[in-house]
Amino acid sequence: MTALLELAEITRRFGGLTAVDAVSMSIEAGEIRGLIGPNGAGKTTTLNLVSGLIRSSSGRMKLSGRDVTDQRADRLAALGVRRTFQNLKLVSELTVLQNVMIGLHTHGTSGVIQAILGTSGQRAEERTMEAESLAVLETVGLADYADRLASALAYGHRRLLEIARAIVARPIILLLDEPAAGLNATEAERLVGLIRRINAQGVTVVLVEHHMDVIMAVCTRITVLNYGRKLAEGTPVEIRADENVIEAYLGRAGLEERIAGHA
């Protein structure tokens, strides 16, 4: 079976620093893949490579069997790769609904002239985008906030809004960069449920997260990075028992504290 996403010896250097060092990873369609490791392990850099925000120094990347190495971010987005960010990138001056509609920009066919003239085709397209965006807000639990400014949302709701904007275009793969950061236990539990619902709709998920309870509860497989290299890979049960992970990342005491109850 051809992997949905395949990284082959992908490397990224910043001057003398190798942030991602010959990492190979194969992700099948339908997975929820966790990507964990200490700060500076190369997790976000890997997402930046996959989403086209930066170019690789060497190695190859394939999407659905097609070589997409060093494709631009807009091209990868059009192919179905969408992501969120550690630092929220919402437009505070726009409403919640308008922020989600931004996620459909690659689907629009009307140009500037049509928008200025307000043609019937442009208006119909706008109504379709609005309906699709409202449906996604319902999915993430923000439908009642559609007309509020994004700046007026609580932090946890802003996290949900960024996920809504990422999934409105129906991606084939969703890259989530620390979506549970700053969330309390109840919000994190709801996030787990949301990720499962998104995945059940046919979206493959790659999840970078420091909250081990979220990782262990929702991921089907986990890849562990350390100093830019792949340290281990396996199911949550296998990762929990991996001696290299215990010693290099979690620590024996921290392991029991972070993932107790998620064997």
Side-chain angles (χ1 to χ4, degrees):
M1 181 182 296
T2 301
L4 176 63
L5 177 67
E6 186 174 1
L7 305 182
E9 301 287 314
I10 204 80
T11 297
R12 172 65 191 199
R13 301 183 186 90
F14 296 97
L17 172 67
T18 302
V20 176
D21 190 358
V23 169
S24 295
M25 183 166 53
S26 181
I27 299 176
E28 303 292 339
E31 274 194 61
I32 302 177
R33 175 64 67 93
L35 191 59
I36 67 172
N39 289 330
K43 306 180 297 298
T44 294
T45 302
T46 299
L47 291 196
N48 289 342
L49 289 165
V50 172
S51 60
L53 288 183
I54 58 175
R55 298 171 67 90
S56 62
S57 301
S58 62
R60 311 302 298 176
M61 182 173 86
K62 291 184 178 181
L63 184 67
S64 299
R66 173 181 179 177
D67 194 320
V68 293
T69 307
D70 295 333
Q71 289 273 9
R72 297 193 317 265
D74 61 326
R75 181 58 182 154
L76 288 168
L79 292 173
V81 180
R82 296 298 176 106
R83 68 166 296 175
T84 65
F85 294 85
Q86 283 184 35
N87 299 315
L88 297 172
K89 297 188 179 296
L90 303 174
V91 184
S92 299
E93 298 80 8
L94 296 182
T95 67
V96 169
L97 177 61
Q98 290 168 334
N99 267 275
V100 178
M101 291 175 68
I102 290 172
L104 291 169
H105 71 280
T106 58
H107 288 204
T109 58
S110 297
V112 175
I113 299 301
Q114 290 94 330
I116 292 173
L117 296 177
T119 63
S120 59
Q122 188 273 336
R123 291 195 303 273
E125 185 175 275
E126 188 86 1
R127 287 193 296 271
T128 298
M129 288 183 174
E130 183 174 317
E132 292 176 356
S133 298
L134 285 169
V136 168
L137 286 174
E138 186 72 41
T139 297
V140 303
L142 293 179
D144 292 340
Y145 301 88
D147 296 326
R148 293 193 187 183
L149 291 178
S151 59
L153 292 181
Y155 183 79
H157 285 166
R158 292 183 200 176
R159 285 281 178 194
L160 295 177
L161 176 55
E162 188 160 55
I163 293 174
R165 187 175 60 188
I167 65 174
V168 70
R170 298 189 180 94
I172 60 173
I173 186 164
L174 175 64
L175 313 175
L176 297 175
D177 196 357
E178 298 193 29
L183 302 187
N184 60 39
T186 300
E187 291 170 332
E189 186 175 349
R190 290 173 182 164
L191 175 66
V192 167
L194 175 59
I195 293 172
R196 285 173 175 159
R197 292 196 301 275
I198 293 170
N199 180 246
Q201 294 173 0
V203 180
T204 300
V205 178
V206 180
L207 173 62
V208 168
E209 188 53 70
H210 284 289
H211 286 245
M212 292 304 296
D213 51 348
V214 172
I215 285 286
M216 292 293 169
V218 77
C219 292
T220 51
R221 290 184 65 79
I222 299 169
T223 300
V224 186
L225 299 181
N226 195 34
Y227 296 109
R229 296 184 177 183
K230 185 165 77 172
L231 177 66
E233 192 170 86
T235 66
V237 171
E238 290 168 340
I239 293 302
R240 179 176 182 172
D242 190 289
E243 288 292 328
N244 291 326
V245 176
I246 293 170
E247 293 293 344
Y249 173 45
L250 295 170
R252 291 189 179 276
L255 177 68
E256 295 181 1
E257 179 181 345
R258 290 185 177 190
I259 60 178
H262 292 287

